[in-house]
Each structure stands twice: as structure tokens, then as C-alpha cells.
Amino acid sequence: MRVKDFPPFRLDSVNQCLVRSDSAGNEQRIELKPKTFDVLRYLVDNPGRLITHDELLEEVWRDAEVQQEVLKGHVLAIRKALGDTAEEPQYVLTLRKRGYKFIAPVRFEEASGKHPRARLGKFVDRARPLSELREALRLARSHVPQLVFVTGEPGIGKTELVERFLEEIGGDEDASVTVGRCIEGYGGIESHYPVLEALGSLTRQRNGETVVQALKEMAPTWALQLPGLLSGQTRAVLQQQIAASSRDRMVRELCQLIDKLAERRTLVLVLEDLHWSDHSTVDLLSAFARRSSRARALIIATYRLEDAAADNHPVHRLSRELLVHKIGTRLILPPLRPEAVGEFVANTVTGAGAQQLARLITEQAGGNPLLMIATLETFIERGLIAAGADGFRLCVPPAELDVEISSDLSQVLECRISQLDDREQRALTAASVVGVAFDAATAASACGMTAVEFEDVCETLVRNDKCISRAELRTFPDGTVVRKYTFKHVLYRRALYQRQGPIRLARSHRMVYEALERLYPAGERQTIALQLLEHLAGCGEWHKAVECVREGLITIRTRFGYRDGIALFKLGGELARHLPPAERAAIELEMLEGKAGISAAIHDSQAFASYEELAALARARGLVDVLARALIGMTYTTGWRDNAQCRALLQEALQTSEAQSNPMMRARTQLSAYMGLLFLDGWDDDYAARCTSALQVLKCGPDRLDAAWALVEHSQLDAVASRYRAAYRAVRDDFRTLIDTEVIRPGMNAARMYYTACLVAPWALFFLGELGPAFKELDASIPVMRSNGNDYSARTLQLVRGWFRTYVGDFDGAHDDCLAAAASDASEVASAPALDAHEYRIYLVVRGAAEAGLRNFARARESFAERDRLAGEAPVSLDWYWRLIAEYETVNLWLAAGEAARAGKHATLLLKLTLQTSERTFQALAWNALAEVEMMHGKPHAALESTERALAVSNEHETHLATWRVHATAARAHRMLGRVVEAASSRELSARASGRLLSTFPESHPLRDLFAKRIAREERSSE
């Protein structure tokens, strides 16, 4: 078991106490109450991480209602035992109103004597097998003996699981726990080695004399094999008694001994690594499982599935046989799920990049805990991850993390590979050239085998659970069907690949490429372009490799694989260096522009530098069109943080457009530039007209892709000018035209167009009154963006969804969306480092609206005030548009707070601002807000005048979000004037308009009920 060491203290999990060592090596045992120990153990198990009050209460007091004051008492006892203080903590830090953090360095030293290492992460994804062990213990305590096999591949966490279980019951007075381990090469020679070790451990525990007496009486053949247990005289007597004893006697005696030892206390016997055990030990397990007994005994046996299956070890046969007869339990531990790896990494590495790191480790380690931890430790040893005050942090951008196989990890992998025979090593070495996934048709020729021979080797490996797993069937264009296989871990594949020399690798890559060419006709290779690229580069076919990059980019574009796209563009630039100088320059520009475009779309920090490099090259070579696109690209990276720099770049782009000889290229530059200026400086009819003029040029041009690009680009302008239907049509139809083409066009940034479509589509739908479809679009887009590595877009869309939630009355959901996007604390409105300036202002608006809806008026005011301050000090793109929403929500805040004067002030300001734009929905809402203020002042006639102005706007434009509210306000005004008929008519119109909005949600949608309640409140107030 692991010793938890934080000098000068050590945590003894078995005896549930704290041990203090002095400089002379003397140890003092410090007794703790059981619950106090449990609290300390959980804190020590999770060093450097905030443990909330709720988490501690849930983990330590399962199924019990306990107040936080009780927890504080235990923490006080821990501090007393450690000599710690709350004022100057060295061990336990108190975070007010939040929880505790164990801040001392913790080492977890293996019992085998391995060098101590820092604790990484926490125990994850093993709740179910841990629960099954608890159930087995419950049954054992009920006089139903239990045998549980825990198995899985090497490094899957068998020992960790068992240790966690034993830690849970370490202080249980009703349980006697003992562990016996097999040793490779030795445990299979000495009969019953792990059982003897476990019995010897029992004799040295508390009540050991009782165990010794039971051995003498019930199991003398076992007592004789335990050195130092018996006196010379007693040993001689026993030897005479059992002089002709048989193997069966030892089995019978052990079963009787277990019965005896389990009379008063539940016996938990753990036998580890039985794939190295002798056959006699397995016979003992068989006898224990099959006999009829009421012993309060639980035996847990662990073994490596791979090794036991390969050697046809009897423990594997026994576990399967007992399972068939429904005797005993077998827990096969699967790899950790990707989300569990993410949780593990998040509890190890804090700050930016943790999610990308988790994805990388999942890919490399395949969910194997040993390889996962080894990979993390390699990063730590190389200085790519370093310890900080609040845990480990990345020292480099996630994109710069590269996995190297360290010497320790290499030894682990080489040990596994060396256990393969020659044919297996040859087959897997060839497979490593193909990739993580491979098949016989592709890989066989690279190792000199026929496809049938290669497949036979793979099937043997799978049956023995070694290195690879079966995957799905693969059908080639000619109809041939083969079985695919995958390496269980990328690291196995890397180790096998790196064992090969360059000449052999080049030969193998060429043979794999030729096999793929035979299997795929020329017109059907786009789907395997990335595979072909790897092998072409591997054998030095540079021209063909560049063409494969282009084909691969088309495939990636349809899947919106942003990080893959950046990597592929970067690879294309590197491949271009191997080409003749005359060809190199154009391809380097093409790849640089493509990389910059995707980087800008996902707000990668390298985007501006890439565009800057592109602009410098374009100037040096006199490439005006490329320069114009580079300047526009730089505005995408600066518009959300630096208005002045962005404006200067836009002006330079417009000047550059005058030198563009191609009218289509000039129109594209001008459309983007004038729209950028409009977004920066506020609505401008002249800028809008120039955008529309450029759009017409592109629509009338000969190239349908130019027209499609222009319509999608212009959809952003349509969305903020209340032309919602045109905006939606563009991102629904014209975006598809861009994606479906098999041509990669410079400047037609598919990644940015996809973000535009994902933002404009739900926005337009929402303002068109299609609330349900708008939420559906966002719910689908957000996880796709995250899974593709575009966290920026995912956060923005989540904030937009949060604002939509406030409109339908889901203020808790809006609050949660805000906090998830900003990764901030629920109790504060603080700076959100995960967000850029533009996102943070949206966050403040949505957070304020949510707080106002929850009637947390002070927090709402704080959010709106902070947004106004930031926008005044350093405005960024689209600040003017989000100011409309901020003012609208501020009006709602003061209306809800009953502050008529303040509501009126902001309603008047909102109206003034909307009249300066082409935004009609908020103009109608502004008139309605003024009407509501007039009602608060007892002026129904003035209120009706304002509602008439609002309805005039709604009659000319689609303002579905405003119409029902305007009619509801008019109904209240009519009722105040005693106009019963008019009030009823307005209520009917309001109900009809709101009913249409409500009908866009499916019947079972939770937001439908919330919105219905909001509508009902409006209707009640108008009656």
C-alpha cells in the first residue's frame, strides 16, 4: 500500500492514525478520531486542490445529514494534531465560505520501495467496481462468503482500486484485512506463496496471538511453513502429526482456518498478481468458492488478464468457469473514459490548456492510468508542466506539447514488447507504420506476411489480450472486407515505430502507400488523403504529399477539425521546404494563410503573428490580393481587444483595395472592411450601403463561391439590422455551398464561416420567434465546438444561449451558462481570465440579466456598471450593439425593482440608441419599456401612445420578441382606463403572439414550461 508522507508526518491508512518522525528517526503515533482521520485523509489525497465544504461532507459523511459546524470541529482537531494554525497555515488552508486546501507537499511512496513521487490527480471512473467491492463486503458480513476477481490489462488500476477499498475499511473494527502478493518468477515456484505471506501478516497484526492459536489448532500444515511462528518443541510435535499429510489436507485446513478466523470479525484476504502464482494457490481459491460455508470472508484476487490468458494460467480458467456457474464475481476494469481523464487532469493541472492536455493524454494513453500518469510525469520532468501554489500549471501553450517516451516509460513499454514472440513483433512493427488503427490488407506486405498470416497473428494477440484490440470491419472500394485492429495505447505504437531505423521506415512507408494505392482507385482517395500523406512523407514523395495535404484539408473542413487543420497547414508548409525554390514560395504562402485563418477563427494567440508574416511576404513579393486578405485577417484578431489598431488596419485594407485589379477581390476586401468599421464605430448608413454595394458586385459575378462567401459574410450585418430572415437564409443555404465545394480558396476561411453560421443561425431564428429551433442549434453547436478545440466559439455561443435563457425566464440556467463559459466563482463578479474583452462584456450583460431575474439587484447593477465602465474606457467591436441589450436589461432591472424614474431614464436612452441604428426589435422593446414606465406613473394614455409607436415598428418589421409584450402592456393600459373590450382584444393579440413563440418548443422541453410561466405572469398582470 502507499504511504502518504508530508514530513515530518506520515498517514497510516491501515491503523487510521498519524505518525510523526523526529530528526533522529523516532516515531510518535498520534491517535485521531475516525471521522477526523477520514477528513484528513481526503484532504491529503487531494493536495493543492480546493475541497469545498459540500464535497467533504458528501465524501466523509455519506448518506448522513451533518452541519458545517461539525466539519469545522474536525478541521480544528486536525490542526491541533499537526501543530498548525488558521492564521499561518502550513498544512490546511481555509478559504472563507468555500472550503479547505491541503497545501503541504505530499509524497505517495509505494510499499515496494519505489522512489516517492508527487500526487497527481485523483481517483476517477472507478465508482462502479468500488461499489461492487462494497456490496461483496456487505454480503460477506451477512455470512455469504465472497470471491471477487479484479482483472484487466497492465497498469489499468487494479491495485489502486483494491487499495482504495481497503482504505475505506481500514478503521473498521469488524474487519481483519491482510494482503499477499505474488512475485514474478518466484511466486510461481514456491507453493502457496501469497497465501503464506497473507497469513504471516495476520499473525503480526493486533490479535495476532489468536491467529497463531488458530493456525496451531486448525491448520498445522500451514503453521509449520511460517518461520518464527512456532517453538522448536511445538514444531517437532506438529511435524510428527502431519508426517504423511497430503495436498488435500492443506486445502481442507485452510478452509477451516478461514471459517475460524471469520467467526468474530469479517476476514478480507487480498491476493495480488495471481498471474504469477503457483497452481496450488488457485486450487485453494477453487475450493473456497465451491464449498458450502457461512464464513464471514471476502477474498479479492487480482491478476493481469493479458498475461494470464497468454499463458493459459489456471486463475484465468477458474474465473471464467466460476462466472459460468454464477459463483463469485469478476470485475474487468476498462480503460478510463475520456471525460474521466479530463477530470483527472483538471484536478492535477489548473489554468488554461487543461482541456487540450486531457485530450492529448487520452489519445496517447488510451485511458490506461499507468501510462496516463507516466505521460504527465514525463511532461513534469521535461519542465513542460510545473508545480505552483494552486497545483500544476502548463508552462507552454498546449499546441507545443509533444509526447516523448521517457526512459522509465520506455522500460515499461519495452518490457511488454519483449514478451511478444518474433512473428508478433514483426506484425506489430509493421502495424505501427500504418498507424494506431490498421488492418491486414494494408500492413501485411510491410512485414513480409500474407494478409491471412498477418490476420492470424492479430487474432492470437487479441485472444490473449495483448497490445491490440479488435475494431470495426473495413470495406474497401472493391468490396473486400477486412477486420480493423487498434493499438490499445498510442504509446505502444510509438515505441514500436521508434525502434526502426530510417531505411527500414522509408521502405515500410512506401509499401503501405503502394498497398493503399492498390486498394483505392484514383478517384476515391480523398477519404484516405491523410493516411496517404503520412506514408508519402515517410518515403520522401514530397510533391504527392503536398497534394494529399490539400485533399486532407477538404476532408477536415467538412468535419470542422480546427486543431487538425492548423497542424495540416503547418505540415504543408514544412513539406514545401523539400520542393524546388520555384514551387516552394506559392505553397508556403498558401499554407501560411490557411493556418492563420483557422487560428483567427478559434482566437489562437498565434493568429496575428501568422497574418503579420503573411503581410510581410505579400509586400515583399508585390502580391496585393494576398496583402489585402492578410490585413483583413489581422482585423479579426484585433477587433475584440484593440479598436485603434483594428481601425488602422481596416483603413489600410481599404487603401490597398484601390490597387486590386480584380473587381471581385476588391469587392471582397471592401465588404469585410466596411463591415468591420461599422462593427467598430456603430451603425453607419454609408458603411452599410457600401457593404451592400460590394455584395451586389459579388452576387453578380461569375463565381458562385464568391457570391456564397459574400452572403455569409454579409449575414452578420443582416443580423444586426433586423434582416433576420435574410441572415438565416444565407447561413443555411450559402454556407453549405462553401463547405460542399472540393476547392480550397484563399481567403474563404471555412472555420470562420462555420462560426458565423453557428452564431447567426440561432440569433436570426430567435429574433424570428423560432425559440425552440434557436436553442436546438446552440445545444448542438456548443459541444461540437468544444470537441473540435474551438473553445472561444463554444464560450461565446454558451453566453448567447445564456441571454436567450433570460428571455424565456430560465435565470438559473442563464447563470449557469455564464459561470461555465467564464469558469468563474458563483459568488463574485470578477475578471474572467478565460474570456477576451468582447466575451467578458457579453458575460457581464448576461450575468446582470440573470441576477436581475433572480432578484439579486445589487449584483445585477454591479455587472451592468462594470460593462459600462469597460466599454467607455476601451471600446471593442460590436460594443454598440451589445449596449442595446445591456440597456434593455437595465430597464428590466429597474422595472422589477420598482424604480420608475431610473427605468424611465434608461428606457429613453435605449430608444435614442435604437433610433440611431437599423435594429427594430429593441426599438419596439424601448417603446414598450417607456409605456411600462408611464403605467408606473399612472399615465395610461401616455402608455398607449408608446405602445402604438411600438406596434407601428412591429407592423413594418418582424419583431416577434417584442410584439406579445407590447400587446400585454396595451391590455394593462386599457384596463386601467376601464376599456374592457379593448383590453380583452389586446390580451387576445398578446396570447396569440406568445402562443406562437411557445409552440416552437417541443411539448416536453423544460424551457417551454418556464416560458409559459413567464407569459402567464404577464397575462395575469393585464387582467
Side-chain angles (χ1 to χ4, degrees):
M1 290 209 187
R2 285 184 302 198
V3 176
K4 299 161 188 177
D5 188 16
F6 44 104
F9 297 98
R10 188 176 75 251
L11 206 59
D12 185 343
S13 297
V14 173
N15 296 303
Q16 288 208 316
C17 69
L18 192 63
V19 178
R20 182 187 178 98
S21 302
D22 61 21
S23 57
N26 300 315
E27 292 187 343
Q28 173 193 1
R29 176 170 168 148
I30 303 171
E31 297 289 346
L32 298 172
K33 292 181 179 180
K35 285 301 181 186
T36 303
F37 179 86
D38 289 343
V39 173
L40 176 58
R41 178 172 59 189
Y42 194 79
L43 290 170
V44 172
D45 279 352
N46 297 275
R49 182 170 75 84
L50 166 65
I51 309 297
T52 65
H53 298 121
D54 289 342
E55 181 178 350
L56 264 174
L57 291 172
E58 181 180 346
E59 291 293 332
V60 178
W61 283 272
R62 298 176 186 272
D63 303 321
E65 292 291 331
V66 178
Q67 299 298 316
Q68 288 188 11
E69 286 71 23
V70 175
L71 178 58
K72 291 177 183 177
H74 288 289
V75 172
L76 184 63
I78 290 170
R79 284 203 174 103
K80 184 177 180 181
L82 297 173
D84 204 14
T85 66
E87 293 74 24
E88 297 182 4
Q90 297 184 37
Y91 298 98
V92 181
L93 172 68
T94 298
L95 297 168
R96 285 189 69 249
K97 298 183 179 180
R98 298 170 71 188
Y100 305 97
K101 183 188 292 186
F102 196 87
I103 57 175
V106 179
R107 295 182 303 175
F108 289 72
E109 186 173 2
E110 301 292 339
S112 61
K114 290 182 182 178
H115 183 68
R117 59 175 174 80
R119 174 72 163 185
L120 299 175
K122 71 172 188 175
F123 191 58
V124 294
D125 208 22
R126 293 294 183 246
R128 183 171 180 179
L130 194 58
S131 175
E132 295 200 43
L133 288 176
R134 293 178 186 131
E135 175 62 12
L137 178 62
R138 186 191 68 79
L139 291 171
R141 284 173 167 159
S142 303
H143 300 278
V144 182
Q146 296 292 302
L147 172 60
V148 179
F149 293 97
V150 179
T151 186
E153 64 179 273
I156 201 64
K158 301 178 291 295
T159 299
E160 175 80 0
L161 172 69
V162 173
E163 286 184 359
R164 291 284 177 158
F165 172 68
L166 296 184
E167 285 181 4
E168 284 189 4
I169 63 174
D172 191 340
E173 294 294 330
D174 182 53
S176 296
V177 179
T178 187
V179 180
R181 296 176 178 84
C182 297
I183 301 174
E184 185 176 12
Y186 182 68
I189 297 174
E190 181 178 345
S191 295
H192 308 120
Y193 177 82
V195 181
L196 289 168
E197 183 187 34
L199 291 176
S201 175
L202 268 180
T203 64
R204 294 187 294 274
Q205 292 181 19
R206 187 173 52 179
N207 300 322
E209 294 179 358
T210 304
V211 177
V212 172
Q213 189 61 35
L215 278 163
K216 293 177 183 177
E217 294 176 0
M218 311 295 296
T221 57
W222 291 89
L224 282 171
Q225 296 180 67
L226 293 171
L229 187 64
L230 306 173
S231 65
Q233 183 178 359
T234 304
R235 180 176 293 277
V237 172
L238 289 179
Q239 283 175 337
Q240 289 180 357
Q241 292 177 0
I242 62 172
S245 63
S246 66
R247 179 165 163 269
D248 290 341
R249 174 172 177 167
M250 292 193 70
V251 173
R252 185 177 65 255
E253 282 186 2
L254 184 69
C255 290
Q256 292 172 348
L257 178 64
I258 289 174
D259 287 349
K260 180 67 176 177
L261 296 177
E263 280 181 354
R264 295 184 178 180
R265 304 172 72 197
T266 304
L267 176 65
V268 180
L269 169 61
V270 178
L271 303 176
E272 290 207 74
D273 296 327
L274 290 188
H275 51 279
W276 289 326
S277 75
D278 62 293
H279 291 202
S280 297
T281 296
V282 179
D283 290 341
L284 292 173
L285 294 180
S286 178
F288 170 80
R290 298 175 193 276
R291 67 192 288 264
S292 177
S293 170
R294 287 182 53 77
R296 298 170 63 196
L298 165 61
I299 297 181
I300 302 172
T302 74
Y303 69 92
R304 289 181 186 170
L305 191 59
E306 175 181 317
D307 291 17
D311 297 336
N312 198 23
H313 195 282
V315 71
H316 185 49
R317 295 198 304 271
L318 175 64
S319 68
R320 289 190 299 175
E321 182 181 339
L322 294 179
L323 197 63
V324 169
H325 292 90
K326 298 182 179 181
I327 302 173
T329 304
R330 184 169 71 163
L331 305 179
I332 302 178
L333 301 186
L336 301 179
R337 295 168 297 146
E339 54 267 33
V341 176
E343 181 184 356
F344 180 91
V345 171
N347 280 278
T348 303
V349 179
T350 59
Q355 290 182 345
Q356 294 95 316
L357 176 62
R359 284 193 288 267
L360 175 63
I361 290 176
T362 300
E363 174 189 314
Q364 296 295 323
N368 182 288
L370 175 66
L371 298 181
M372 175 178 70
I373 292 172
T375 304
L376 269 173
E377 289 178 335
T378 299
F379 286 146
I380 294 170
E381 289 170 7
R382 292 168 59 201
L384 303 177
I385 298 175
D390 57 348
F392 290 92
R393 283 187 173 273
L394 281 171
C395 302
V396 298
E400 295 180 19
L401 287 172
D402 62 309
V403 179
E404 293 181 1
I405 299 179
S406 65
S407 57
D408 289 344
L409 185 54
S410 177
Q411 290 175 13
V412 172
L413 297 171
E414 282 295 332
C415 179
R416 305 307 304 168
I417 293 170
S418 66
Q419 294 176 10
L420 305 172
D421 65 31
D422 179 63
R423 277 165 53 86
E424 291 170 339
Q425 288 194 36
R426 281 196 299 124
L428 291 186
T429 299
S432 74
V433 176
V434 178
V436 176
F438 57 91
D439 58 76
T442 313
S445 60
C447 61
M449 295 184 186
T450 66
V452 173
E453 291 171 336
F454 186 92
E455 192 173 72
D456 286 344
V457 172
C458 290
E459 287 299 315
T460 300
L461 288 167
V462 169
R463 282 195 299 274
N464 293 332
D465 202 29
K466 284 188 173 181
C467 297
I468 64 173
S469 303
R470 286 192 190 96
E472 71 277 8
L473 295 175
R474 180 177 188 178
T475 304
F476 292 107
D478 65 355
T480 303
V481 179
V482 297
R483 168 70 66 187
K484 285 180 69 176
Y485 303 92
T486 60
F487 283 97
K488 288 185 175 181
H489 317 296
V490 174
L491 292 171
Y492 277 149
R493 185 242 172 174
R494 289 171 65 92
L496 287 159
Y497 187 86
Q498 291 174 3
R499 296 170 106 218
Q500 304 172 68
I503 296 175
R504 180 175 179 179
L505 277 174
R507 172 184 170 275
S508 296
H509 276 297
R510 186 174 296 279
M511 295 183 78
V512 173
Y513 170 72
E514 290 171 353
L516 289 169
E517 272 199 322
R518 290 193 300 272
L519 292 163
Y520 285 85
E524 301 187 40
R525 292 176 187 162
Q526 190 182 87
T527 56
I528 60 163
L530 298 180
Q531 292 173 258
L532 294 172
L533 167 62
E534 182 178 357
H535 302 304
L536 287 167
C539 63
E541 292 283 357
W542 306 116
H543 284 91
K544 289 183 177 179
V546 170
E547 285 306 310
C548 276
V549 167
R550 293 188 176 115
E551 292 182 8
L553 286 167
I554 292 171
T555 302
I556 284 175
R557 183 182 63 190
T558 61
R559 299 171 184 168
F560 310 109
Y562 302 113
R563 296 294 176 187
D564 291 339
I566 290 174
L568 199 51
F569 275 120
K570 186 176 179 181
L571 177 60
E574 293 170 356
L575 292 173
R577 297 172 190 169
H578 297 278
L579 299 176
E583 302 173 55
R584 183 188 309 160
I587 294 174
E588 285 180 337
L589 278 176
E590 174 190 348
M591 298 301 163
L592 178 60
E593 184 172 3
K595 183 185 76 169
I598 299 181
S599 298
I602 64 174
H603 281 225
D604 187 280
S605 59
Q606 302 300 312
F608 186 83
S610 296
Y611 272 126
E612 203 169 31
E613 181 183 352
L614 181 67
L617 291 172
R619 287 190 181 96
R621 299 173 188 177
L623 303 173
V624 179
D625 291 340
V626 176
L627 175 58
R629 292 197 299 269
L631 292 168
I632 292 296
M634 281 191 275
T635 69
Y636 298 150
T637 69
T638 56
W640 305 132
R641 58 181 173 82
D642 190 334
N643 257 19
Q645 185 181 22
C646 184
R647 185 179 295 103
L649 289 166
L650 288 168
Q651 295 292 356
E652 186 180 354
L654 286 172
Q655 292 171 8
T656 303
S657 72
E658 299 301 323
Q660 290 182 273
S661 57
N662 185 322
M664 297 297 109
M665 294 296 101
R666 183 166 60 250
R668 283 176 55 180
T669 303
Q670 292 178 352
L671 171 56
S672 294
Y674 282 118
M675 190 166 67
L677 287 170
L678 186 149
F679 284 177
L680 277 182
D681 297 334
W683 184 264
D684 185 295
D685 290 333
D686 179 54
Y687 288 161
R690 289 174 184 271
C691 289
T692 302
S693 176
L695 172 64
Q696 292 306 314
V697 171
L698 292 162
K699 284 174 65 177
C700 296
D703 193 325
R704 68 186 183 92
L705 291 183
D706 276 337
W709 174 87
L711 285 162
V712 175
E713 180 83 343
H714 196 269
S715 71
Q716 302 168 81
L717 186 61
D718 290 329
V720 300
S722 300
R723 296 190 289 268
Y724 313 121
R725 209 162 287 281
Y728 181 66
R729 201 162 40 239
V731 295
R732 182 192 62 193
D733 301 334
D734 298 292
F735 170 69
R736 200 71 257 168
T737 300
L738 291 174
I739 296 302
D740 289 343
T741 181
E742 296 187 359
V743 178
I744 298 289
R745 292 282 292 276
M748 291 189 179
N749 186 343
R752 183 170 173 274
M753 291 292 101
Y754 178 55
Y755 168 63
T756 299
C758 288
L759 177 61
V760 171
W763 194 267
L765 284 170
F766 198 76
F767 278 78
L768 286 169
E770 297 292 335
L771 308 190
F775 277 104
K776 185 177 180 181
E777 289 267 352
L778 287 170
D779 291 343
S781 298
I782 292 168
V784 171
M785 289 291 188
R786 288 206 188 282
S787 64
N788 287 338
N790 191 349
D791 292 331
Y792 164 79
S793 297
R795 290 194 304 266
T796 303
L797 294 176
Q798 193 162 22
L799 290 169
V800 167
R801 185 176 66 183
W803 183 65
F804 287 3
R805 287 183 187 277
T806 65
Y807 180 84
V808 299
D810 181 17
F811 302 111
D812 286 318
H815 193 266
D816 291 344
D817 268 339
C818 267
L819 299 183
S824 66
D825 187 273
S827 64
E828 301 174 1
V829 178
S831 60
L835 306 178
D836 68 14
H838 173 65
E839 287 179 304
Y840 185 46
R841 290 164 206 202
I842 300 175
Y843 160 84
L844 290 170
V845 172
V846 181
R847 177 77 181 264
E851 297 288 7
L854 295 169
R855 304 192 69 77
N856 299 324
F857 297 140
R859 286 184 181 173
R861 290 198 302 272
E862 184 182 347
S863 288
F864 293 142
E866 177 68 1
R867 193 222 74 89
D868 291 346
R869 183 188 68 79
L870 291 172
E873 291 178 356
V876 297
S877 185
L878 281 176
D879 259 357
W880 63 271
Y881 184 77
W882 276 94
R883 186 183 180 189
L884 303 181
I885 301 175
E887 289 297 335
Y888 165 68
E889 295 297 352
T890 304
V891 172
N892 288 337
L893 161 66
W894 294 122
L895 289 172
E899 298 265 3
R902 289 181 172 180
K905 175 184 173 182
H906 285 278
T908 302
L909 178 57
L910 174 60
L911 180 60
K912 178 183 176 181
L913 293 172
T914 59
L915 290 172
Q916 296 170 1
T917 74
S918 288
E919 216 315 308
R920 302 300 183 233
T921 294
F922 287 105
Q923 190 179 126
L925 288 169
W927 282 115
N928 185 68
L930 284 171
E932 292 191 73
V933 172
E934 297 292 356
M935 294 286 290
M936 293 176 74
H937 287 302
K939 299 179 180 179
H941 289 291
L944 285 173
E945 289 179 11
S946 294
T947 59
E948 287 171 6
R949 296 283 190 90
L951 290 173
V953 175
S954 297
N955 290 336
E956 293 181 11
H957 304 276
E958 294 189 272
T959 62
H960 300 278
L961 300 185
T963 304
W964 72 277
R965 293 199 64 183
V966 176
H967 284 303
T969 304
R972 289 199 299 276
H974 284 303
R975 183 167 59 84
M976 186 177 288
L977 291 168
R979 299 173 180 174
V980 178
V981 175
E982 290 85 347
S985 175
S986 292
R987 280 199 303 274
E988 174 62 25
L989 292 170
S990 177
R992 195 179 305 163
S994 62
R996 182 190 171 281
L997 299 181
L998 196 61
S999 69
T1000 63
F1001 287 108
E1003 288 287 343
S1004 58
H1005 201 292
L1007 293 180
R1008 182 186 177 106
D1009 290 338
L1010 286 170
F1011 190 38
K1013 290 176 182 177
R1014 183 191 173 186
I1015 292 169
R1017 286 195 298 271
E1018 294 279 347
E1019 289 177 347
R1020 282 196 300 271
S1021 66
S1022 65
E1023 291 176 354

